[in-house]
Amino acid sequence: MDELKIKLFDYIKTLKTAAKEQKEFNQELNKTTSELSSSKLAKFYELQKAFEQVGNTAKDKEQFLKDYADGLKETGLAINDVQTAEDAFINNTDKYVQAIIARAKIDAYKEQITKKTQETLEKNLELERKIESGEYKTSAIAQSQAGVVGQGYISKDDLETQRKVVEQARKKLEDEIKKNNKELNDFITNQVGNISKLNKEYSSLWATNDKGTKETSKSTSKTVDIPDIQLPDIQ
């Protein structure tokens, strides 16, 4: 019964930890998305007001596109003709606003992937250092000798017990590295899935850069290389 209670307690603790981590992740994601999209959204609404002031003729609207070409580029949206301008600023404004937010959110997801990868690499490097240095053996040996203190000698059985305890201590560290890697892989897979969904839904509204690929918001955070990960290109 006690063992069952312990397992139940550990399970509940795991659920609470996961819920807390998810909450923190969502808060950080929303914060980063807001920071990355704010200037583009401000520019979009500024252009919307300007578009509402132009005349009703196609010529007037074409002139708007020329006069505000730089501003339109700043939004990151593919607003290159009168029909698209009318769609963006009059008929389907919310859709274009969501497209701006989606681009920022993709960069926010990538930042979270980078952050999680960096944290996992640091954790694993520390675990690997403990394994290579052998420092884990000290506490393991002390644990195995606890029952023979004062005995004055270590029997063959005691040595075998000591060997097994040390082996288990090493395996525990190795298992923790595997667990960290699996959590990272699952996390990345989930975020790449989110990126792909946004890409599929909104990429047709995004402007292309000179290389013919869809542009994304500029991130100001420091990044690290993500090993063995292929993020989907924005089509």
Side-chain angles (χ1 to χ4, degrees):
M1 185 65 180
D2 289 340
E3 186 179 348
L4 181 61
K5 285 182 178 179
I6 291 172
K7 287 183 178 179
L8 182 59
F9 174 79
D10 288 342
Y11 176 70
I12 293 173
K13 185 179 178 182
T14 300
L15 288 179
K16 286 183 176 179
T17 300
K20 182 182 177 184
E21 289 178 353
Q22 185 62 48
K23 182 179 179 181
E24 290 174 351
F25 169 78
N26 289 338
Q27 289 175 339
E28 187 63 28
L29 182 72
N30 291 336
K31 180 174 178 288
T32 304
T33 300
S34 178
E35 290 173 351
L36 294 175
S37 63
S38 60
S39 63
K40 292 182 183 296
L41 287 172
K43 177 57 67 174
F44 178 85
Y45 289 125
E46 177 187 320
L47 291 168
Q48 184 185 36
K49 287 182 180 179
F51 189 74
E52 291 171 352
Q53 302 303 315
V54 302
N56 292 322
T57 68
K59 185 177 180 181
D60 291 333
K61 293 174 181 179
E62 285 170 2
Q63 188 60 45
F64 167 87
L65 294 175
K66 293 177 183 178
D67 293 341
Y68 291 92
D70 290 340
L72 291 168
K73 188 175 181 181
E74 286 179 40
T75 67
L77 298 171
I79 304 175
N80 304 312
D81 54 54
V82 171
Q83 184 179 351
T84 306
E86 290 177 337
D87 196 41
F89 298 128
I90 298 174
N91 302 320
N92 287 302
T93 298
D94 186 61
K95 184 178 180 181
Y96 285 81
V97 167
Q98 291 305 315
I100 291 174
I101 294 172
R103 291 182 61 166
K105 186 168 281 190
I106 283 177
D107 281 348
Y109 277 128
K110 289 182 179 181
E111 283 197 17
Q112 289 298 319
I113 289 173
T114 298
K115 180 182 177 183
K116 180 73 171 178
T117 300
Q118 182 67 56
E119 290 174 351
T120 301
L121 289 174
E122 289 173 358
K123 286 180 185 177
N124 286 352
L125 283 173
E126 176 59 18
L127 291 168
E128 288 168 2
R129 184 194 66 75
K130 288 181 179 179
I131 292 173
E132 290 173 6
S133 68
E135 71 177 57
Y136 69 94
K137 296 179 182 179
T138 304
S139 58
I141 291 173
Q143 179 185 339
S144 68
Q145 291 179 343
V148 294
V149 173
Q151 186 172 289
Y153 66 93
I154 299 177
S155 69
K156 185 177 180 181
D157 288 342
D158 292 333
L159 286 172
E160 178 61 18
T161 299
Q162 179 177 296
R163 184 189 68 78
K164 287 181 179 179
V165 170
V166 170
E167 222 173 66
Q168 288 170 356
R170 181 187 178 95
K171 186 176 184 303
K172 185 178 179 181
L173 294 175
E174 292 172 341
D175 287 346
E176 193 170 345
I177 290 174
K178 290 178 183 177
K179 177 175 172 287
N180 290 342
N181 287 338
K182 183 181 184 305
E183 287 178 354
L184 175 62
N185 184 67
D186 291 345
F187 178 83
I188 290 173
T189 299
N190 188 33
Q191 306 324 316
V192 168
N194 291 330
I195 289 172
S196 296
K197 288 177 184 177
L198 292 172
N199 179 43
K200 183 177 181 181
E201 186 170 358
Y202 294 106
S203 63
S204 63
L205 304 180
W206 297 333
T208 56
N209 59 25
D210 293 336
K211 295 179 181 178
T213 57
K214 297 294 180 180
E215 298 174 346
T216 55
S217 304
K218 247 185 187 177
S219 170
T220 55
S221 68
K222 294 180 180 178
T223 60
V224 295
D225 291 332
I226 303 175
D228 303 321
I229 299 168
Q230 281 292 343
L231 295 178
D233 292 331
I234 299 178
Q235 301 291 333

